Amino acid sequence: MVFRILHGQTGGVVRLMVFGEIDLAVHDQLRDGILGAVGTPGITAVVVDLGAVPMLDSGGIGILVAGRTAAQKHRIGYEVCRARWHIRNVLDAVGVLDVLTDAS
């Protein structure tokens, strides 16, 4: 599966639908997509949908956390949703599942 990010917006909420494996080859694309959405004027929240992501490496986890940090600085909501069970388990094991999946 080729990596891609589809953007959707309803009101002030941007939804990023991520497709494909998140590894070193796509870190810049993921970072740019998330930080670009977070920095968009008028946005109230960003939702990162991982439902079509079969693999997430440690660098990708760091990017998801950086997105949350950026969202906090912009005072907007940020949530990661629909992660597959094995990705949820990894996020839980490294201690970020609750932070990333709690709509803020």
Side-chain angles (χ1 to χ4, degrees):
M1 176 184 289
V2 175
F3 181 83
R4 63 189 168 140
I5 302 172
L6 297 180
H7 299 253
Q9 185 172 342
T10 304
V13 178
V14 171
R15 185 178 195 94
L16 303 176
M17 293 156 283
V18 184
F19 296 85
E21 294 183 354
I22 297 175
D23 58 18
L24 181 61
V26 302
H27 285 174
D28 289 342
Q29 191 176 350
L30 179 64
R31 183 180 303 105
D32 292 349
I34 291 174
L35 296 181
V38 167
T40 302
I43 295 302
T44 60
V46 172
V47 177
V48 182
D49 184 332
L50 299 182
V53 173
M55 194 276 292
L56 173 67
D57 72 0
S58 61
I61 294 169
I63 293 166
L64 294 174
V65 172
R68 173 127 170 69
T69 301
Q72 288 175 321
K73 288 180 183 175
H74 283 86
R75 297 185 176 170
I76 64 171
Y78 181 85
E79 180 180 9
V80 173
C81 70
R82 293 181 4 100
R84 295 179 182 187
W85 67 269
H86 59 282
I87 292 175
R88 289 181 64 85
N89 286 345
V90 170
L91 294 174
D92 188 38
V94 298
V96 298
L97 179 65
D98 291 340
V99 170
L100 293 177
T101 58
D102 179 21
S104 54

